[in-house]
Structure formats: C-alpha cells, structure tokens
Amino acid sequence: MAQPGEIAAVLDRLVDDGRLIGYVCGVRESGSSQIVSGGTRAVGGPALEEDAVFPLSSNTKPVGGILAMRLVERGVLDLEDPVSPHLPEMAAPRVLVDPGGPLDRTVPAERPVTLRHLLTMTAGVGWAGENPALTEAMSARGVAPGPFAPTVPPGEYLRRLAELPFVGQPGLGWWYHTSSDILGVLLARVTGSSVGELLAGHITGPLGLTDTGFTVVPGRLPTSYGAGPDGRPRPLDTEGRFSSPPVFESLACGLVSTVGDYLHLLSVLVDGGPVLDAESARLMTTDHLTPTQKASAEGFVESGCGYGFQVEVRADGAVGWAGGLGTIGYVDRRRRRAAAVFTTQSYDVPGTSEALETVWSLLR
C-alpha cells in the first residue's frame, strides 16, 4: 500500500502540469491519520492547507446511511417499514409504464416504498437519464439530482416530487440520488428533529467531527472549479452556498468536511465503533442489489460491484463513494484502512479523475 507522501508525488505532478489546482489526501488506520496537501486554494492563490474544508457533494450519502442505521439500532425505524406514514406525499405514487416513455402513461406503484428501498436507491425515483422529459420536468421543479442541495424546504420538495411519476416500480431497479434526499426528510419527520440536530447528536458530536456540517466559517472553503464552455476550469459559487444554514439539509449532497473528519467517519464502516454496531456496519457494507438492479445501476456502480446502504461495495472489498465536485473516500474493511482524496475541481475538469484514482493506491 502506498503512503500519502508517495501519492502526493503523483498529485504534485498533476499540479505542475496544470491539470490539478489543489488537493488533500490521507489514510487512517489504527486510530490515527496521515494527511498531506498540495497545490493552491485557488488558481494563483496561496497553498492549500491540510485542514481545508470541502463541499462533499455525493460523499454526503454514506453519512446518511450511517445516521439511518444508528436510528434503526435504536428502534426508531425498521428497514422494512413503509415510509408513507411519515411521508404521505409518497403514499400513492404513479409509475411510468415505460421508464423511457411519456409522462402521462402511468400505473399505480405495486408495493410501498420502504426504508430499505431508500438506503439501497431502489425506491423507483431518481436520476432518469433514459427519460429526457422526466429529467427536464424534475429540473423545472427544482428537484433534479445535482451536486448541491435543493433550494426549497423539505415539504415543498416532496410536494413537487409527488407531482411527477416514478421512473420505475419500487424495488425493481436502481435510480441514483433522490432517495438520499427523501431519506433525510424521513429521518427528520420520524424524530421531530432537524437533520443537522440528528447528525450532531448521533455522529459528528460523538466522533468529535468539528469541521463537518451544513455550513462553514467564511474563508475555510477553497475555491471549487467546474469546467467552463471551453473546457477550462471556472470558479463555482460554493462559498455562498455554505455560508448560512440551508433551507434543505440534504443527506444526498449537502455536507462539507475535511479529509481528517471524513477519514474518521469512514473508519466507522470497518466494524462500527462508537456510533454504530458491528452488525449495522456489516449490513451497510453488504451488496444488497439483485442482478436486475445492478443492470439499471450501470454507469454509476462499476461493473462487478454492488451497492449497500448508501455506499458502493466493490469486488475487492472496498466500500465508499465519490462526489461530483471532486472528492472520494473508501474504506477497505479487511485491511481496516480508510483513504480519501479531495480536490478543488469537479469531475468534468481534465485531471480530476486521474487525481481521484490515486485513492486505490492508498488502500491496496
């Protein structure tokens, strides 16, 4: 297994070649972390610090899985519980006859959506790349999947989502992202607490994760970049999105964190630790998808891999996920080692994918 210093040499070459602006990478094992950083906080700016705070985008999802299983352990919810008693907006969804067909050709859902469906992304609702009309309708209502949290309150989000049909029957396929936002609304309604309060009480507080949350002190976030029309990096307004409490505390893409905090969080997936039982960690990191569900996950979950509760389960035993704004974090449960690489640029910027691929050398 490579050490962070060895990987830094690879990443520094990407910086020197102009393919990477800034990065932080690290590993955690036996209760301690090694973290290194390189590049700059912005193009032409000062050096990027090891404790820089990054928008996690979809790296938020595993945090939602841990929180849900924490509540399952305490008997607040059961994996097979229908969500409709707490989310009446989802009590009688309509489902497209054909996932790629017209939006007015629907049938009733054949079974209720359960907590298990949400955790495994098999609820029937989410990224609908095979149906441009549904994708456009979700975007028009402000409920489409993306790297940032919805900009409407949770109740309004569910109301708008309920105006549209599900892309598939609950339990039959795999559709990305939206289940994680529904999960957050469910956990808040069941407990009568906000998602932020639940995270503080059950995860970030007990683990001492002081830099993980839905807001960040001004100046802690480096500039994030996406690809402009010419393919070159252009700055994104991440600072404004995390400077004040959001109207929707998203468990799909809403958190910010440091590499140090995230490595500590990932280590929970080895055998539980202080915030999760070993059995819950095992369930989270077990592949729960059927062959049919895996077929519909193509393009998101790699071939030969599966999906647990808000984490990818790889054939080599590593579990975790990546975020579209340029972050990745996985844990090898057999080697009891967690690794993360955070960058300041999204996947569509040349060099980002190459940088994030270095995480595998930190695990193997």
Side-chain angles (χ1 to χ4, degrees):
M1 291 178 289
Q3 297 300 313
E6 299 173 85
I7 297 303
V10 177
L11 297 174
D12 285 341
R13 285 195 290 273
L14 291 174
V15 172
D16 293 342
D17 291 343
R19 293 170 55 78
L20 183 62
I21 298 165
Y23 71 87
V24 180
C25 74
V27 297
R28 183 178 178 87
E29 57 185 339
S30 303
S32 63
S33 299
Q34 302 177 55
I35 301 171
V36 297
S37 63
T40 57
R41 292 177 53 85
V43 174
L48 184 62
E49 315 93 328
E50 294 175 6
D51 66 347
V53 178
F54 290 77
L56 290 181
S57 52
S58 284
N59 270 115
T60 301
K61 292 177 172 71
V63 186
I66 293 171
L67 178 60
M69 291 309 295
R70 173 90 164 177
L71 296 177
V72 168
E73 288 178 358
R74 280 148 183 75
V76 177
L77 284 168
D78 185 86
L79 289 172
E80 314 309 330
D81 281 346
V83 303
S84 54
H86 308 287
L87 306 178
E89 299 93 337
M90 300 188 67
R94 303 290 298 182
V95 181
L96 291 176
V97 172
D98 174 2
L103 304 191
D104 59 355
R105 293 192 61 210
T106 64
V107 294
E110 296 173 355
R111 60 190 63 83
V113 174
T114 66
L115 174 59
R116 182 184 291 273
H117 289 144
L118 296 180
L119 288 172
T120 57
M121 302 276 186
T122 59
V125 60
W127 194 286
E130 68 268 59
N131 194 314
L134 182 55
T135 299
E136 183 178 336
M138 293 180 77
S139 295
R141 288 164 174 78
V143 296
F148 299 111
T151 57
V152 296
E156 178 64 12
Y157 172 85
L158 283 188
R159 187 193 69 77
R160 295 184 185 187
L161 198 63
E163 294 176 346
L164 299 172
F166 280 18
V167 66
Q169 289 288 346
L172 295 190
W174 192 92
W175 289 277
Y176 187 52
H177 189 87
T178 306
S179 287
S180 301
D181 273 333
I182 298 171
L183 175 67
V185 183
L186 173 67
L187 300 185
R189 287 190 182 175
V190 167
T191 60
S193 300
S194 70
V195 174
E197 290 168 341
L198 291 172
L199 287 173
H202 290 285
I203 299 179
T204 58
L207 292 178
L209 308 183
T210 57
D211 291 320
T212 301
F214 292 109
T215 59
V216 62
V217 175
R220 292 291 307 280
L221 280 174
T223 302
S224 290
Y225 292 85
D230 59 358
R232 297 174 61 83
R234 63 173 179 181
L236 304 173
D237 179 25
T238 50
E239 184 81 36
R241 291 178 180 273
F242 296 103
S243 61
S244 59
V247 297
F248 191 112
E249 294 179 325
S250 171
L251 287 179
C253 56
L255 289 173
V256 297
S257 188
T258 60
V259 164
D261 270 12
Y262 202 72
L263 287 172
H264 195 172
L265 182 80
L266 282 177
S267 66
V268 170
L269 298 182
V270 173
D271 55 12
V275 300
L276 211 60
D277 290 347
E279 175 61 11
S280 293
R282 186 193 69 80
L283 280 172
M284 265 198 74
T285 57
T286 296
D287 177 16
H288 295 285
L289 298 189
T290 67
T292 299
Q293 291 165 347
K294 288 180 182 179
S296 61
E298 185 177 352
F300 287 94
V301 176
E302 287 195 21
S303 176
C305 301
Y307 201 78
F309 293 164
Q310 303 288 288
V311 291
E312 182 185 43
V313 181
R314 295 176 61 88
D316 60 6
V319 295
W321 200 235
L325 293 177
T327 57
I328 189 171
Y330 276 76
V331 59
D332 188 322
R333 300 184 75 231
R334 295 174 297 188
R335 295 185 174 94
R336 307 177 69 84
R337 183 178 176 99
V341 178
F342 288 6
T343 76
T344 57
Q345 56 199 52
S346 62
Y347 264 98
D348 57 357
V349 177
T352 307
S353 294
E354 189 176 351
L356 298 186
E357 284 292 312
T358 61
V359 75
W360 309 123
S361 295
L362 291 169
L363 285 175
R364 295 169 184 150

